[in-house]
Amino acid sequence: MSLDLAAADRAIARGRVLTLLALAGVVAVYVLALQFTPPERLQGLAQKIFYLHVPAAWSGLMAFVLVGITSALFLWLKEPRLDAFAEASAEVGLMFSVIMLTTGPIWGKPIWGTWWTWDARLTFTLFEFLLFCGYFALRSAVREREERAKFSAVVGIMGMLLVPFIHLTVYLFNTTHPQPVVARVDGPALPGVMLRTFLISLGTFTLLYLGFVMQRYGIAIRTAHQEALDA
């Protein structure tokens, strides 16, 4: 366990460095978006939220996919570190989901004329968020570590399975939410200068995810170690 604790400390330290770099990158992205990227012709300045909203959505959904993958591996291998990573990724995913669900209405109000509509994409994204709120409620309710990890893994897998459906909602339903402008079969529909800013933001938010999850993983390992000592 001492090696695990040493690895946890290294993960926390490296995660802090990545987080600081990523936060500086977020500031740089918004300087780039506001000063050096032209506004969209129809949406105007409101479209600038795109460079925050979409990367946050990407990071949140990526986090939930990784929760599902590591949860499935935990059920197979029974490795506690996989459960610790799943918990860490779920917590970071919830944080990004809050950003996504906050910036979406701010962007939607001037464009759609309303803060919220029960559109299929929005509704299932909210359901995903609530599912992972339930994930942490479950983790808080179950005290026995192995049982908690097992039950949480099942919920984590369910959350992962919902992610591709969220992506497909704009194709399966008649939705207010626009279809993707980057992840398209025929290539991105964004002008080059906007695509550049978006890709930089996407990379920055991915780095931010890594920084946060490394720190949270290290904390989870230390917490598990303390629980084992107290048992």
Side-chain angles (χ1 to χ4, degrees):
M1 183 60 72
S2 59
L3 291 176
D4 284 345
L5 288 177
D9 289 339
R10 287 195 300 271
I12 292 171
R14 292 169 182 171
R16 285 174 180 162
V17 173
L18 288 180
T19 299
L20 290 173
L21 289 173
L23 290 174
V26 171
V27 174
V29 162
Y30 254 77
V31 171
L32 182 63
L34 293 172
Q35 297 296 324
F36 302 101
T37 307
E40 202 273 335
R41 182 172 60 88
L42 298 177
Q43 298 185 24
L45 288 176
Q47 185 267 344
K48 302 287 187 178
I49 300 175
F50 169 82
Y51 303 108
L52 175 62
H53 175 72
V54 177
W58 151 261
S59 299
L61 294 177
M62 175 184 68
F64 295 149
V65 168
L66 291 174
V67 172
I69 292 171
T70 50
S71 294
L73 289 173
F74 170 79
L75 292 177
W76 179 30
L77 299 173
K78 309 300 183 187
E79 169 56 61
R81 286 174 296 183
L82 291 168
D83 175 59
F85 180 87
E87 180 186 11
S89 190
E91 187 167 311
V92 176
L94 271 182
M95 181 204 69
F96 281 116
S97 294
V98 169
I99 297 172
M100 171 178 57
L101 291 168
T102 303
T103 55
I106 294 172
W107 186 7
K109 176 61 175 174
I111 306 305
W112 297 342
T114 181
W115 294 102
W116 182 267
T117 177
W118 292 102
D119 171 274
R121 168 69 66 87
L122 275 63
T123 302
F124 282 103
T125 301
L126 178 61
F127 181 74
E128 177 86 320
F129 171 76
L130 295 175
L131 187 149
F132 275 96
C133 288
Y135 174 92
F136 281 102
L138 175 64
R139 295 194 74 98
S140 298
V142 181
R143 294 301 178 188
E144 203 283 315
R145 282 189 300 135
E146 291 186 9
E147 291 295 305
R148 178 176 64 211
K150 248 191 319 188
F151 295 151
S152 300
V154 174
V155 178
I157 293 169
M158 290 169 58
M160 176 187 67
L161 295 177
L162 188 57
V163 171
F165 184 74
I166 290 172
H167 175 72
L168 292 173
T169 50
V170 292
Y171 302 105
L172 298 174
F173 302 96
N174 182 20
T175 67
T176 306
H177 196 285
Q179 293 191 3
V181 295
V182 178
R184 293 160 49 107
V185 175
D186 55 350
L190 285 176
V193 65
M194 291 183 178
L195 181 62
R196 176 204 63 190
T197 303
F198 170 74
L199 292 177
I200 293 172
S201 183
L202 192 68
T204 299
F205 271 77
T206 302
L207 186 65
L208 191 60
Y209 164 80
L210 291 172
F212 281 143
V213 86
M214 287 173 69
Q215 292 181 80
R216 188 61 188 83
Y217 170 76
I219 292 169
I221 291 295
R222 296 194 66 84
T223 301
H225 175 70
Q226 188 60 49
E227 286 181 353
L229 292 178
D230 294 341

